[in-house]
Amino acid sequence: MTVSLTTPLAKLLTNRRRISALKGLGVVTCADALTYYPFRVTDPVPLRAVREGRIGEPMAFAGVVRDVRVMPMNARRGYRLQAMVDDSAFAAERRVAGTVTALVFFSYKQQYVNWLSARLHTGASVVVCGTPSEYDGMPQFTHPEVLTVPASPSATQEPGHGQRFDADSIDDALRRVCRPRPVYHANSRISSEHIHDSIVTVLRALAAGDDDNAEPSAAQSGKAAQSTQSGSRGTTSTTATSPEPAELQESAPSPSRASCLSPAPDGIETSPKIPTAALRRAIPDILPESVREACGLMHRAEAFLAIHEPDSVDGFRNALHTLRYEEAFISQTAVLQEREQARKAETFPCTDGGMRETFIDSLPFTLTGGQASVIDDIVQDMGRDYPMQRLLQGEVGSGKTVVALAAMLQAVGSGYQAVLVAPTQVLAEQHAETVGGMVSKAGLAIPVTLITGGMKLAARRKALAVAASGEPGIIIATHAAFSRTFQAPNLALAVIDEQHRFGVEQRETLLQRGEKIPHLLVMTATPIPRTAAMTWFGSLDLSWLTELPGGRKPIRTFVIPEADGPTMANMFWHIRHRIDAGERAYIVCARIDEDESADQAGQDAELFEEPDDAAGAGDAPGGSAAVQPKPPLHAVSEIAARLEALPQFEGVRFATLTGRDDDATKQQVMADFAAGITPILVATTVIEVGVDVPQASCIVMFDADRFGLSQLHQLRGRVGRGGTDSWAFLVSRAEPGSIAEQRLAVIQGSLDGAEIAQADLELRGAGDVLGDAQSGGKSGLKLLRVVKDAKMIADARARAEQVLAADPGLEHEVQLAGAVLDFTRGNESHLISS
């Protein structure tokens, strides 16, 4: 059977446990294996005689086994194998005195120990790679990597032992153990070394073209009989005479060591190299030849080989660069094709701007330069016969609602309908009240219809009937706009507010419902760096509102260590003084109840995460890195009870607000808070979006070191909306000098959303900053970094434009067309276009 990139690993590997473990990592096919990239590469291992070795530093040497002993461990179940290796000949070549050192292995499996002792018999010539330690004053290597070599160049099998060798010669074996090794994200079910071994098996199978040769069994003869299912880190390589060595060695213990070495996986043949020419035939290039040559990039097959079986660190880095550029080129080609496809759709041209101009003239303030410019761009877009697709990003309080209403009036004035979709009922009701008031003040007789899931049935049916009539008007809706009951036959404009709160499929449902595609305006206050926007929203026209309306004062931000009692007390006294002056204060917590898990907390805090130290837990091979447990998050119920008992808040009424509260409760709580009946609101991050209380001047965010920077910036924007002085207090339990402390310094020192977003993106990644809902839950980009690789993305976009200009359908670039299709099927097309 011919092996291809779509071949399931189950047809190549015989070890079912390994197949299951790889499936748990999302690695099912050959293509999955090749694109499961290592996150780093080890440095080359130095050659040293045993006497030159340094405790705790990896090294490699050659020697001869002088003695081997197997001893039962009386104190516990299992066996200890000790092989004494003499490096005199190797040391003499290095002009160093030779010595004898111990190789020590532990196992519960007698069968494995018997197999190992047969390999390391007295007189065996071996190459050892490992990290020396000291025991009883003598150097020893615990679970090193061992390759067997023939005593003479002509020998292929050890007389009397029936053993085949892992390498042709000592030089060959030393080259293999000293080369850099890729290190993969692993877990308790499979080690980095076994992942590497499986990927090399795939590479060899693809080069051979026959999966029967990819993982030969012990019964097979000849050079191909050496199994690629080599042992776990620090065990010896598998040979033809081993009794099911892969199963045995995966069960063997693998003590913690400083080195990240694995058995040389290219023991399937004594040839040290996988044939590149054969691999090229099995793995066709995706990038057009002209682009690859102009950029000095490697062939895709060569890049896979250099990243999974690197000969040098430089080769690994070159392969990484090639595969990053490939991702950039595919994503930008997909973006450009989506943009061109959208322009072929039919929409409602909206050319009558009378209502829009009347509304702008009625405003009691002058539009900022940014607002006027964005409105002009939107009007121009909506006058075309293909749908507008525009992303409007604006700082909290920058006036996005005014821009959105101007766009909606452009549609209504042209005789069509417009819908504004908000993520919560509270926000939808606020929008309906704000929009209705502005329209009324402008003297425009336009119906503003509210549709939410929490409405009574009769009222909801009446509102749905108004929308279904097709009469020109403005509709304000929640997720109800995505239901089958919502029909708006003359919908010319859809405005999505806080678009990261909606799934891509929901937005597509709304846009694809009618005979024509409505214009689309998506708005967000979540700051997104321009480089990220170019990558993820490349088919949308991008607009930024950076100016704040006149009268706004900068929010003063302070980071307060929770352990600093006097400062915490002064903060609460400050809040009491502001409340006595008629102002309001928010207290934000990540959890609802004290017994709530972090996963439950995430239902309220959509961007909440545990960054910094915890983020590196999976970096270590096997996922074994020790991470100090973080203290439990503060909860709304706990903090509310604590604050009510403080002398600073004697006589002050508190209210709580969480995602569990029903809509009626939320409405009442917000009304009491705005009226000053309950001037302190203890809430989860449900207040992050759309809550607009001008009297609010203070916000306290507990566990601030556990939130994302963009979310902290969003929450901070809830205060200072009435033109008064305002304060944000970030209460932290971060360790001094930690990354968490550095992150909070970013938010404390900047009010620039773009600057904060870039720092957040670099620290957390695109999926976290942009939100799972809009990124399809999983980014299709595995290597590309949207900030650090900004120049690469721009170059790839320019070259992709040239390729598409010459070949719009990619008829002459079949592999690129297929890669783009695979990319868009992974939800990225919806991500980009929506």
Side-chain angles (χ1 to χ4, degrees), residues 34 37 85 88 100 154 158 160 174 211 226 260 303 327 338 342 350 362 405 470 511 624 693 713 745 748:
L34 296 185
Y37 299 116
V85 176
S88 296
V100 176
S154 60
E158 189 73 24
L174 287 172
D211 62 359
Q226 299 182 31
C260 293
E327 286 189 353
E338 287 290 326
C350 301
S362 72
L405 181 51
L511 295 179
S624 59
V693 178
H713 182 61
Q748 181 181 17

PDB file of all heavy atoms in Angstrom, residues 34 37 85 88 100 154 158 160 174 211 226 260 303 327 338 342 350 362 405 470 511 624 693 713 745 748:
ATOM      1  N   LEU A  34       3.536  15.313  10.740  1.00  0.00           N
ATOM      2  CA  LEU A  34       4.567  16.211  10.216  1.00  0.00           C
ATOM      3  C   LEU A  34       4.354  17.648  10.664  1.00  0.00           C
ATOM      4  O   LEU A  34       5.302  18.419  10.778  1.00  0.00           O
ATOM      5  CB  LEU A  34       4.601  16.140   8.692  1.00  0.00           C
ATOM      6  CG  LEU A  34       5.000  14.786   8.086  1.00  0.00           C
ATOM      7  CD1 LEU A  34       5.100  14.886   6.580  1.00  0.00           C
ATOM      8  CD2 LEU A  34       6.307  14.280   8.672  1.00  0.00           C
ATOM      9  N   TYR A  37       4.782  20.282  15.380  1.00  0.00           N
ATOM     10  CA  TYR A  37       6.137  20.805  15.371  1.00  0.00           C
ATOM     11  C   TYR A  37       6.763  20.808  16.762  1.00  0.00           C
ATOM     12  O   TYR A  37       6.074  21.019  17.766  1.00  0.00           O
ATOM     13  CB  TYR A  37       6.144  22.238  14.823  1.00  0.00           C
ATOM     14  CG  TYR A  37       5.632  22.344  13.418  1.00  0.00           C
ATOM     15  CD1 TYR A  37       4.468  23.063  13.127  1.00  0.00           C
ATOM     16  CD2 TYR A  37       6.292  21.726  12.362  1.00  0.00           C
ATOM     17  CE1 TYR A  37       3.998  23.166  11.830  1.00  0.00           C
ATOM     18  CE2 TYR A  37       5.829  21.824  11.059  1.00  0.00           C
ATOM     19  CZ  TYR A  37       4.676  22.550  10.811  1.00  0.00           C
ATOM     20  OH  TYR A  37       4.207  22.641   9.525  1.00  0.00           O
ATOM     21  N   VAL A  85      31.429   0.147  31.602  1.00  0.00           N
ATOM     22  CA  VAL A  85      31.946   0.462  30.272  1.00  0.00           C
ATOM     23  C   VAL A  85      33.311   1.125  30.403  1.00  0.00           C
ATOM     24  O   VAL A  85      33.475   2.075  31.184  1.00  0.00           O
ATOM     25  CB  VAL A  85      30.966   1.375  29.504  1.00  0.00           C
ATOM     26  CG1 VAL A  85      31.545   1.781  28.155  1.00  0.00           C
ATOM     27  CG2 VAL A  85      29.628   0.669  29.310  1.00  0.00           C
ATOM     28  N   SER A  88      38.754   3.489  27.397  1.00  0.00           N
ATOM     29  CA  SER A  88      40.197   3.703  27.236  1.00  0.00           C
ATOM     30  C   SER A  88      40.585   4.061  25.814  1.00  0.00           C
ATOM     31  O   SER A  88      41.348   5.010  25.580  1.00  0.00           O
ATOM     32  CB  SER A  88      40.964   2.452  27.693  1.00  0.00           C
ATOM     33  OG  SER A  88      40.761   2.236  29.068  1.00  0.00           O
ATOM     34  N   VAL A 100      36.660   3.532  33.795  1.00  0.00           N
ATOM     35  CA  VAL A 100      35.474   2.678  33.714  1.00  0.00           C
ATOM     36  C   VAL A 100      34.332   3.388  34.421  1.00  0.00           C
ATOM     37  O   VAL A 100      34.505   3.911  35.531  1.00  0.00           O
ATOM     38  CB  VAL A 100      35.728   1.301  34.348  1.00  0.00           C
ATOM     39  CG1 VAL A 100      34.440   0.470  34.340  1.00  0.00           C
ATOM     40  CG2 VAL A 100      36.836   0.565  33.616  1.00  0.00           C
ATOM     41  N   SER A 154      33.677  -4.721   9.140  1.00  0.00           N
ATOM     42  CA  SER A 154      33.043  -5.732   8.285  1.00  0.00           C
ATOM     43  C   SER A 154      31.962  -6.515   8.991  1.00  0.00           C
ATOM     44  O   SER A 154      31.179  -7.222   8.365  1.00  0.00           O
ATOM     45  CB  SER A 154      34.109  -6.703   7.754  1.00  0.00           C
ATOM     46  OG  SER A 154      34.746  -7.356   8.852  1.00  0.00           O
ATOM     47  N   GLU A 158      26.937  -9.876  15.729  1.00  0.00           N
ATOM     48  CA  GLU A 158      27.845 -10.338  16.764  1.00  0.00           C
ATOM     49  C   GLU A 158      27.811 -11.858  16.844  1.00  0.00           C
ATOM     50  O   GLU A 158      26.750 -12.449  17.058  1.00  0.00           O
ATOM     51  CB  GLU A 158      27.443  -9.732  18.116  1.00  0.00           C
ATOM     52  CG  GLU A 158      28.428  -9.965  19.228  1.00  0.00           C
ATOM     53  CD  GLU A 158      29.673  -9.127  19.075  1.00  0.00           C
ATOM     54  OE1 GLU A 158      29.618  -8.074  18.405  1.00  0.00           O
ATOM     55  OE2 GLU A 158      30.715  -9.528  19.598  1.00  0.00           O
ATOM     56  N   GLY A 160      27.603 -15.451  18.092  1.00  0.00           N
ATOM     57  CA  GLY A 160      27.115 -16.039  19.324  1.00  0.00           C
ATOM     58  C   GLY A 160      25.987 -15.286  19.976  1.00  0.00           C
ATOM     59  O   GLY A 160      25.407 -15.744  20.936  1.00  0.00           O
ATOM     60  N   LEU A 174      28.430   8.205  16.882  1.00  0.00           N
ATOM     61  CA  LEU A 174      28.697   9.461  17.578  1.00  0.00           C
ATOM     62  C   LEU A 174      28.022  10.630  16.873  1.00  0.00           C
ATOM     63  O   LEU A 174      27.493  11.548  17.516  1.00  0.00           O
ATOM     64  CB  LEU A 174      30.205   9.689  17.672  1.00  0.00           C
ATOM     65  CG  LEU A 174      30.951   8.790  18.663  1.00  0.00           C
ATOM     66  CD1 LEU A 174      32.455   8.987  18.525  1.00  0.00           C
ATOM     67  CD2 LEU A 174      30.508   9.065  20.096  1.00  0.00           C
ATOM     68  N   ASP A 211       4.245   1.380   3.456  1.00  0.00           N
ATOM     69  CA  ASP A 211       4.164   1.384   4.910  1.00  0.00           C
ATOM     70  C   ASP A 211       4.568   0.057   5.520  1.00  0.00           C
ATOM     71  O   ASP A 211       4.763  -0.039   6.721  1.00  0.00           O
ATOM     72  CB  ASP A 211       2.745   1.765   5.380  1.00  0.00           C
ATOM     73  CG  ASP A 211       1.693   0.782   4.929  1.00  0.00           C
ATOM     74  OD1 ASP A 211       2.022  -0.204   4.239  1.00  0.00           O
ATOM     75  OD2 ASP A 211       0.524   1.001   5.274  1.00  0.00           O
ATOM     76  N   GLN A 226      15.867  -3.420  11.903  1.00  0.00           N
ATOM     77  CA  GLN A 226      16.036  -2.606  13.100  1.00  0.00           C
ATOM     78  C   GLN A 226      14.846  -1.675  13.250  1.00  0.00           C
ATOM     79  O   GLN A 226      14.580  -0.877  12.383  1.00  0.00           O
ATOM     80  CB  GLN A 226      17.337  -1.797  13.009  1.00  0.00           C
ATOM     81  CG  GLN A 226      18.548  -2.707  12.916  1.00  0.00           C
ATOM     82  CD  GLN A 226      19.814  -1.901  12.867  1.00  0.00           C
ATOM     83  OE1 GLN A 226      19.869  -0.826  13.435  1.00  0.00           O
ATOM     84  NE2 GLN A 226      20.819  -2.400  12.202  1.00  0.00           N
ATOM     85  N   CYS A 260      17.834  16.128  27.026  1.00  0.00           N
ATOM     86  CA  CYS A 260      16.623  15.838  26.268  1.00  0.00           C
ATOM     87  C   CYS A 260      16.990  14.920  25.106  1.00  0.00           C
ATOM     88  O   CYS A 260      16.593  15.141  23.973  1.00  0.00           O
ATOM     89  CB  CYS A 260      15.975  17.124  25.761  1.00  0.00           C
ATOM     90  SG  CYS A 260      15.332  18.143  27.083  1.00  0.00           S
ATOM     91  N   ALA A 303      12.192  20.927   4.544  1.00  0.00           N
ATOM     92  CA  ALA A 303      11.908  21.652   5.781  1.00  0.00           C
ATOM     93  C   ALA A 303      11.384  20.708   6.857  1.00  0.00           C
ATOM     94  O   ALA A 303      11.783  20.790   8.021  1.00  0.00           O
ATOM     95  CB  ALA A 303      10.904  22.766   5.506  1.00  0.00           C
ATOM     96  N   GLU A 327       2.901  29.162   6.100  1.00  0.00           N
ATOM     97  CA  GLU A 327       1.649  29.480   6.782  1.00  0.00           C
ATOM     98  C   GLU A 327       1.192  30.896   6.446  1.00  0.00           C
ATOM     99  O   GLU A 327      -0.002  31.137   6.224  1.00  0.00           O
ATOM    100  CB  GLU A 327       1.821  29.328   8.295  1.00  0.00           C
ATOM    101  CG  GLU A 327       1.882  27.891   8.768  1.00  0.00           C
ATOM    102  CD  GLU A 327       1.840  27.778  10.282  1.00  0.00           C
ATOM    103  OE1 GLU A 327       1.898  28.827  10.962  1.00  0.00           O
ATOM    104  OE2 GLU A 327       1.757  26.660  10.790  1.00  0.00           O
ATOM    105  N   GLU A 338     -11.002  35.276  -0.250  1.00  0.00           N
ATOM    106  CA  GLU A 338     -12.263  35.557   0.433  1.00  0.00           C
ATOM    107  C   GLU A 338     -12.738  36.980   0.132  1.00  0.00           C
ATOM    108  O   GLU A 338     -13.920  37.230  -0.081  1.00  0.00           O
ATOM    109  CB  GLU A 338     -12.095  35.373   1.949  1.00  0.00           C
ATOM    110  CG  GLU A 338     -11.993  33.941   2.400  1.00  0.00           C
ATOM    111  CD  GLU A 338     -13.308  33.212   2.241  1.00  0.00           C
ATOM    112  OE1 GLU A 338     -14.379  33.834   2.417  1.00  0.00           O
ATOM    113  OE2 GLU A 338     -13.275  32.008   1.943  1.00  0.00           O
ATOM    114  N   ALA A 342     -16.206  37.860  -1.784  1.00  0.00           N
ATOM    115  CA  ALA A 342     -17.251  38.688  -1.178  1.00  0.00           C
ATOM    116  C   ALA A 342     -17.708  39.782  -2.124  1.00  0.00           C
ATOM    117  O   ALA A 342     -18.882  40.196  -2.099  1.00  0.00           O
ATOM    118  CB  ALA A 342     -16.737  39.293   0.123  1.00  0.00           C
ATOM    119  N   CYS A 350     -26.948  51.527  -0.628  1.00  0.00           N
ATOM    120  CA  CYS A 350     -27.598  52.516   0.236  1.00  0.00           C
ATOM    121  C   CYS A 350     -26.983  53.881  -0.066  1.00  0.00           C
ATOM    122  O   CYS A 350     -25.838  54.165   0.349  1.00  0.00           O
ATOM    123  CB  CYS A 350     -27.404  52.162   1.710  1.00  0.00           C
ATOM    124  SG  CYS A 350     -28.079  50.540   2.160  1.00  0.00           S
ATOM    125  N   SER A 362     -27.974  67.092  14.509  1.00  0.00           N
ATOM    126  CA  SER A 362     -28.708  67.219  15.774  1.00  0.00           C
ATOM    127  C   SER A 362     -27.861  66.934  17.002  1.00  0.00           C
ATOM    128  O   SER A 362     -28.292  67.186  18.130  1.00  0.00           O
ATOM    129  CB  SER A 362     -29.913  66.262  15.777  1.00  0.00           C
ATOM    130  OG  SER A 362     -29.483  64.907  15.899  1.00  0.00           O
ATOM    131  N   LEU A 405     -24.882  54.151  14.511  1.00  0.00           N
ATOM    132  CA  LEU A 405     -26.204  54.710  14.250  1.00  0.00           C
ATOM    133  C   LEU A 405     -26.211  55.490  12.928  1.00  0.00           C
ATOM    134  O   LEU A 405     -27.188  55.421  12.160  1.00  0.00           O
ATOM    135  CB  LEU A 405     -26.629  55.617  15.407  1.00  0.00           C
ATOM    136  CG  LEU A 405     -28.011  56.258  15.286  1.00  0.00           C
ATOM    137  CD1 LEU A 405     -29.085  55.211  14.979  1.00  0.00           C
ATOM    138  CD2 LEU A 405     -28.364  57.019  16.566  1.00  0.00           C
ATOM    139  N   GLY A 470     -40.661  43.946   6.802  1.00  0.00           N
ATOM    140  CA  GLY A 470     -39.730  44.549   5.843  1.00  0.00           C
ATOM    141  C   GLY A 470     -39.759  46.056   5.816  1.00  0.00           C
ATOM    142  O   GLY A 470     -39.056  46.684   5.006  1.00  0.00           O
ATOM    143  N   LEU A 511     -26.081  36.621   8.054  1.00  0.00           N
ATOM    144  CA  LEU A 511     -25.722  37.224   6.773  1.00  0.00           C
ATOM    145  C   LEU A 511     -26.279  36.452   5.582  1.00  0.00           C
ATOM    146  O   LEU A 511     -26.558  37.030   4.532  1.00  0.00           O
ATOM    147  CB  LEU A 511     -24.195  37.323   6.648  1.00  0.00           C
ATOM    148  CG  LEU A 511     -23.487  38.248   7.646  1.00  0.00           C
ATOM    149  CD1 LEU A 511     -22.000  38.230   7.413  1.00  0.00           C
ATOM    150  CD2 LEU A 511     -24.024  39.665   7.546  1.00  0.00           C
ATOM    151  N   SER A 624       6.074  17.321  32.561  1.00  0.00           N
ATOM    152  CA  SER A 624       6.418  17.048  33.942  1.00  0.00           C
ATOM    153  C   SER A 624       6.961  18.247  34.693  1.00  0.00           C
ATOM    154  O   SER A 624       7.420  18.125  35.804  1.00  0.00           O
ATOM    155  CB  SER A 624       7.456  15.927  33.996  1.00  0.00           C
ATOM    156  OG  SER A 624       8.611  16.294  33.278  1.00  0.00           O
ATOM    157  N   VAL A 693     -22.457  53.579  33.242  1.00  0.00           N
ATOM    158  CA  VAL A 693     -22.970  54.361  34.359  1.00  0.00           C
ATOM    159  C   VAL A 693     -22.036  55.550  34.532  1.00  0.00           C
ATOM    160  O   VAL A 693     -20.915  55.409  35.028  1.00  0.00           O
ATOM    161  CB  VAL A 693     -23.019  53.526  35.656  1.00  0.00           C
ATOM    162  CG1 VAL A 693     -23.524  54.386  36.827  1.00  0.00           C
ATOM    163  CG2 VAL A 693     -23.907  52.306  35.465  1.00  0.00           C
ATOM    164  N   HIS A 713      -7.995  46.123  30.398  1.00  0.00           N
ATOM    165  CA  HIS A 713      -8.212  47.416  29.731  1.00  0.00           C
ATOM    166  C   HIS A 713      -9.699  47.648  29.479  1.00  0.00           C
ATOM    167  O   HIS A 713     -10.199  48.766  29.658  1.00  0.00           O
ATOM    168  CB  HIS A 713      -7.436  47.431  28.416  1.00  0.00           C
ATOM    169  CG  HIS A 713      -7.538  48.724  27.666  1.00  0.00           C
ATOM    170  ND1 HIS A 713      -7.106  49.926  28.186  1.00  0.00           N
ATOM    171  CD2 HIS A 713      -8.040  49.007  26.427  1.00  0.00           C
ATOM    172  CE1 HIS A 713      -7.315  50.886  27.305  1.00  0.00           C
ATOM    173  NE2 HIS A 713      -7.889  50.364  26.237  1.00  0.00           N
ATOM    174  N   ALA A 745       2.473  45.916  34.999  1.00  0.00           N
ATOM    175  CA  ALA A 745       3.165  47.182  34.767  1.00  0.00           C
ATOM    176  C   ALA A 745       2.801  47.760  33.401  1.00  0.00           C
ATOM    177  O   ALA A 745       2.762  48.982  33.220  1.00  0.00           O
ATOM    178  CB  ALA A 745       4.676  46.980  34.874  1.00  0.00           C
ATOM    179  N   GLN A 748      -0.612  49.391  33.823  1.00  0.00           N
ATOM    180  CA  GLN A 748      -0.499  50.568  34.687  1.00  0.00           C
ATOM    181  C   GLN A 748       0.119  51.736  33.936  1.00  0.00           C
ATOM    182  O   GLN A 748      -0.268  52.881  34.137  1.00  0.00           O
ATOM    183  CB  GLN A 748       0.349  50.246  35.917  1.00  0.00           C
ATOM    184  CG  GLN A 748       0.486  51.420  36.886  1.00  0.00           C
ATOM    185  CD  GLN A 748       1.348  51.068  38.086  1.00  0.00           C
ATOM    186  OE1 GLN A 748       2.085  50.084  38.073  1.00  0.00           O
ATOM    187  NE2 GLN A 748       1.253  51.856  39.141  1.00  0.00           N
TER     188      GLN A 748
END
